[in-house]
Amino acid sequence: MFNNLHPGLVLILFGIVMTAVPERLRKVLMIAGPLLAAVAVFGLDGNSILSVEILPGITLELLHVDDLTKMFLIIFSVASIIGAVYALNSKSRFETGFEAVYAGSSMGAVLAGDWISLVIFWEIMAVSSWLIITSAKTESASKAGFRYLMIHLLGGNMLLAGIIIKVAGGSMAITCLTGTGDAAFWLIFLGVAVNAAIPPLNSWISDAYPEAPVGGTVYMASFTTKVGMFYIIRLFAGTEFLLWVGVFMAIYGASMALIENDLRRLFSYHIVSQLGYIVASAAVGGALGIDGAAAHTFNNILYKGVLFMCCGAVIASTGKRRISDLKGLYHKMPLTAVCFLIASLSIAGFPLLNGFVSKSLVMNAMAAGGYHIAEILLMVASVGTLLSIALKVNYFVFFGNADGESEEDCSGKHTDGHVNRCTGVCTDIEVKPVPLNVKIALIMGTVGCVLIGVMPSLIYGLTPFGSDGHPFTVDHVTQYIEIFAAATIVFVMYIDHMAPHKAITLDFDWFYRKPLAGAVRWTSAAVSGLFDACGTAAFKLVTVGSCYLHSPAAMLENMGIKVPRRQGGIEDDDVLMKPAGMLVAINVLLALIIVTVVMVVLKVQGVS
Amino acid sequence: MFKKKKSVYLLLAGVMALTVIIEVLFAHPHYHMLWNTVPGFDLIIGFAGGWALILLAKVVMAKILQRDEAYYETDNCCDSGSAGDCEGSSTSLRKDGEGNV
């Protein structure tokens, strides 16, 4: 019955309707849409077809279903349902509507069977996610949204340019590009690299995600980059240079997270870090590499979703988003704290949690492929993940530091000049209760992390090649416990240096927020000034010229040439003749400009 | 949580010793690189990796990359100055809609 039902179009339709219906009906649709999409996903198989002829000879294939697609669609459905439950309290019909459109377009991009369908859903995804960001309705969200849209439109245009080359070459179907290395390869790669957050095209994550509404961030963390990963796997699996790109991303993201203070920016860097594992695994290619990349993407959506949901719960309950403003929240938000602890250990790869299961596949892919340096460096990145999320955030936000003081609360209230030695009033953070729907969403995500962690076959069975990572061997488990124990010792040793302080961390977005923005402003001012100067000069020229040109007879008489003419004629009336003189002057000026341009063009052509 | 550092160190040392013993007795590595075969080698990766990352992030990257929180809100003319010094100019820029892109 649902064999040919497009889950993405279902969600897009529900999303559009949600922007226009009353709140109660909208809440029903928020849950019904993802559920119907999930039903449609389970109905899809290799025989599913949905073709639309848009022009004679150009047919869009909207349903291309294989094992990789199915795996991504399953986790996208799960993320949509959890995200909808989490955002159920949102009062903004536009935010929730755009979230459904965004999730639907992501599914559409994954399901696309031809290049044109891909670019259509790709652009819908960019615009709908931008609308989610701007629905926060703050000045910073508006600016970050603008930057987000610019960089994604740039990526979309590169993708489109590559696709035009492909389609012009007669290839409509999406095919693997590994090894081609032509212009289409690089253009499509750059387009996908924006969504895949490959440095230096990564900073839109840490720039825009913290500014979006909390529910919107949960959605965004689940889709854009994961669609990017889908196309890294589908188009570029086995592209070797991506291995080192992935390793760099893993370490870079973890290092940036170590110094970050803003919770959502910190998690944004962890998105980059985790994407690094996926890119590296896809770069290794083969059954193990592709399965590792797919499984890690799947798990990443789950634990990253829980982390962002916990983070959103903390921000909504406390009104604070910086680690330096938070402390000891375990006592006020125990469920959130426990879910966060589990998800943070999961992202770090702790045994019996889902991150461990898929990291085992990724590491096996590295070892089997003979990429031993990359393997070691990815292990070091795991240490960074442990330090910056599982230890740093858990300690400073939830479990430790309960009787310490945050800098902001205490500023000005201590008498001895030491920030951490204040006493008296500033002992507590006001925490609003976490809504029931948020708790349910948190539990759903966390249960998913644990279930896959203890039953790895759940995920291994979904991978395209069905590879088994053998995660529970003694050497594997002891390896991770040893790494974690040793890294925890380092954390305890340097605990005084681990506390983040109020500062922002510059990223690659600095290049377009400072020098590029300055260059744009400078160029704009220079061009504007040049136009003004040209206008003033032209006006002066025309005014002066018109004095002579409005009465050619008078001009000749001034030059001493006698001209026979009727006295008191119309040509002696300045009011009537000055405009005519202006017109003549303008025409002369234009003629001069045209002649000059033509001569320059002829000269240039003559030279070439 | 980490107030009694000694207890934490002891606990972790116990965990590490136990895992190394288990590794020696029961592990059958699938791969044969140094870190797969030498029991306890992963302790070095965890410790040295963690130390190197903290050094990289907290000493090198923080010094190069971290700025005042109002860094992007200030006008280009006062990048290096404090936010307060150029509050007026940045406000007027925002009102004119010509703030940083």
Side-chain angles (χ1 to χ4, degrees):
Chain A
M1 182 185 171
F2 291 111
N3 189 250
N4 297 325
L5 184 61
H6 193 296
L9 293 180
V10 168
L11 266 179
I12 290 173
L13 185 66
F14 269 75
I16 292 168
V17 174
M18 276 155 58
T19 58
V21 296
E23 189 175 347
R24 278 191 182 178
L25 180 56
R26 179 167 56 84
K27 285 187 175 178
V28 173
L29 295 180
M30 277 175 75
I31 301 297
L35 282 177
L36 185 57
V39 171
V41 165
F42 283 100
L44 293 174
D45 56 34
N47 298 320
S48 301
I49 295 173
L50 184 60
S51 305
V52 181
E53 189 172 356
I54 51 166
L55 285 170
I58 299 183
T59 304
L60 303 185
E61 298 293 344
L62 300 179
L63 285 178
H64 170 87
V65 185
D66 56 21
D67 290 336
L68 184 65
T69 315
K70 196 83 188 262
M71 187 177 183
F72 272 71
L73 287 177
I74 289 171
I75 191 59
F76 280 180
S77 306
V78 172
S80 303
I81 294 168
I82 295 176
V85 173
Y86 183 81
L88 211 54
N89 276 354
S90 172
K91 298 285 177 200
S92 168
R93 63 176 195 268
F94 289 109
E95 180 199 326
T96 48
F98 296 143
E99 282 165 359
V101 171
Y102 170 58
S105 56
S106 304
M107 288 186 179
V110 163
L111 273 167
D114 64 280
W115 292 112
I116 295 176
S117 308
L118 167 63
V119 82
I120 290 170
F121 283 110
W122 196 273
E123 297 295 359
I124 298 174
M125 209 166 69
V127 173
S128 53
S129 50
W130 164 65
L131 290 169
I132 293 173
I133 297 166
T134 52
S135 63
K137 291 181 181 167
T138 61
E139 190 186 346
S140 54
S142 166
K143 285 182 176 176
F146 176 75
R147 291 189 291 268
Y148 175 92
L149 188 65
M150 287 299 106
I151 193 123
H152 278 270
L153 291 184
L154 176 74
N157 284 337
M158 299 228 218
L159 182 70
L160 181 63
I163 284 173
I164 288 171
I165 295 173
K166 277 279 163 198
V167 173
S171 163
M172 276 288 283
I174 297 173
T175 47
C176 181
L177 301 176
T178 305
T180 55
D182 55 2
F185 172 94
W186 287 108
L187 285 166
I188 293 172
F189 172 71
L190 285 172
V192 173
V194 170
N195 274 29
I198 291 176
L201 302 169
N202 66 298
S203 49
W204 56 269
I205 298 186
S206 52
D207 182 23
Y209 283 15
E211 304 302 336
V214 285
T217 314
V218 173
Y219 266 90
M220 294 177 70
S222 303
F223 293 105
T224 302
T225 50
K226 308 313 177 286
V227 173
M229 286 304 109
F230 177 84
Y231 278 101
I232 287 284
I233 299 169
R234 192 164 170 189
L235 303 178
F236 304 105
T239 304
E240 203 168 336
F241 82 90
L242 285 177
L243 174 71
W244 301 107
V245 171
V247 169
F248 173 74
M249 287 170 74
I251 293 181
Y252 167 77
S255 308
M256 291 293 271
L258 268 172
I259 51 175
E260 189 53 62
N261 188 22
D262 184 301
L263 273 174
R264 287 195 287 179
R265 276 180 69 91
L266 187 151
F267 299 137
S268 299
Y269 282 118
H270 274 292
I271 292 181
V272 177
S273 180
Q274 294 302 304
L275 296 180
Y277 287 88
I278 301 164
V279 170
S281 188
V284 170
L288 212 48
I290 289 173
D291 283 355
H296 206 57
T297 311
F298 191 102
N299 287 337
N300 186 259
I301 290 175
L302 270 181
Y303 54 64
K304 189 60 74 180
V306 176
L307 291 175
F308 269 104
M309 286 193 288
C310 292
C311 173
V314 167
I315 293 170
S317 297
T318 63
K320 297 173 191 295
R321 53 193 272 183
R322 290 178 294 206
I323 297 172
S324 57
D325 294 340
L326 297 161
K327 59 182 162 52
L329 287 184
Y330 169 71
H331 303 285
K332 301 271 178 74
M333 308 172 72
L335 179 74
T336 310
V338 170
C339 290
F340 186 89
L341 177 67
I342 292 171
S344 62
L345 288 173
S346 187
I347 193 175
F350 198 78
L352 295 175
L353 295 168
N354 64 342
F356 174 70
V357 167
S358 48
K359 264 188 191 170
S360 297
L361 268 179
V362 174
M363 291 307 183
N364 281 349
M366 297 295 140
Y371 300 106
H372 301 299
I373 295 173
E375 184 188 356
I376 289 272
L377 290 174
L378 288 180
M379 279 190 223
V380 172
S382 282
V383 173
T385 310
L386 177 85
L387 291 172
S388 56
I389 284 201
L391 294 174
K392 175 178 151 182
V393 180
N394 275 309
Y395 178 73
F396 288 108
V397 175
F398 290 109
F399 294 97
N401 205 25
D403 47 358
E405 299 298 345
S406 70
E407 268 182 49
E408 188 175 276
D409 292 345
C410 300
S411 55
K413 290 172 183 167
H414 41 90
T415 54
D416 57 2
H418 296 286
V419 170
N420 291 322
R421 296 185 61 193
C422 60
T423 54
V425 280
C426 47
T427 55
D428 222 348
I429 297 171
E430 193 184 329
V431 179
K432 291 179 197 158
V434 179
L436 180 64
N437 63 303
V438 172
K439 287 181 180 172
I440 293 171
L442 283 175
I443 291 170
M444 286 166 76
T446 310
V447 166
C449 292
V450 177
L451 260 183
I452 293 174
V454 295
M455 288 190 281
S457 56
L458 284 176
I459 186 118
Y460 294 153
L462 286 175
T463 54
F465 297 97
S467 307
D468 191 334
H470 302 291
F472 297 129
T473 57
V474 173
D475 55 312
H476 242 131
V477 175
T478 53
Q479 177 186 39
Y480 275 83
I481 293 177
E482 283 174 12
I483 288 176
F484 281 20
T488 307
I489 286 186
V490 181
F491 182 81
V492 179
M493 276 169 63
Y494 292 104
I495 188 88
D496 296 334
H497 302 280
M498 295 304 292
H501 53 89
K502 286 177 185 171
I504 58 158
T505 312
L506 304 186
D507 199 347
F508 289 104
D509 59 341
W510 179 83
F511 288 100
Y512 54 80
R513 293 180 73 174
K514 282 284 180 181
L516 184 62
V520 168
R521 272 198 296 272
W522 184 87
T523 311
S524 170
V527 169
S528 174
L530 187 67
F531 272 123
D532 282 351
C534 286
T536 310
F539 183 73
K540 272 188 182 169
L541 201 64
V542 168
T543 312
V544 171
S546 71
C547 292
Y548 297 98
L549 294 171
H550 79 280
S551 175
M555 187 178 77
L556 291 172
E557 280 169 357
N558 284 344
M559 291 165 70
I561 302 168
K562 195 169 181 183
V563 180
R565 60 179 183 143
R566 184 166 53 89
Q567 288 300 310
I570 197 170
E571 64 270 26
D572 289 337
D573 189 339
D574 265 8
V575 175
L576 291 171
M577 290 309 293
K578 266 204 169 168
M582 292 279 256
L583 205 62
V584 173
I586 289 169
N587 277 309
V588 169
L589 191 63
L590 282 175
L592 280 173
I593 292 170
I594 291 167
V595 168
T596 312
V597 169
V598 168
M599 284 179 72
V600 168
V601 169
L602 288 176
K603 183 83 177 167
V604 169
Q605 281 183 343
V607 169
S608 64
Chain B
M1 190 181 179
F2 290 125
K3 278 186 173 173
K4 293 173 182 170
K5 282 189 179 180
K6 269 190 184 171
S7 322
V8 179
Y9 287 144
L10 277 175
L11 178 72
L12 290 170
V15 170
M16 290 191 291
L18 189 66
T19 50
V20 172
I21 291 166
I22 292 172
E23 211 178 351
V24 170
L25 294 177
F26 304 109
H28 302 290
H30 287 82
Y31 302 102
H32 301 287
M33 298 305 290
L34 202 61
W35 49 92
N36 302 124
T37 49
V38 177
F41 195 90
D42 296 307
L43 294 171
I44 298 171
I45 295 175
F47 191 88
W51 186 84
L53 278 179
I54 289 175
L55 186 76
L56 173 74
K58 290 283 177 182
V59 179
V60 181
M61 291 170 72
K63 278 195 179 154
I64 297 171
L65 298 175
Q66 289 208 307
R67 296 286 187 283
D68 185 89
E69 284 187 323
Y71 177 74
Y72 282 121
E73 288 162 28
T74 57
D75 192 4
N76 279 344
C77 65
C78 40
D79 281 352
S80 53
S82 69
D85 295 341
C86 35
E87 206 171 291
S89 61
S90 63
T91 308
S92 64
L93 276 177
R94 275 199 296 276
K95 278 179 183 166
D96 293 335
E98 292 175 359
N100 290 318
V101 183

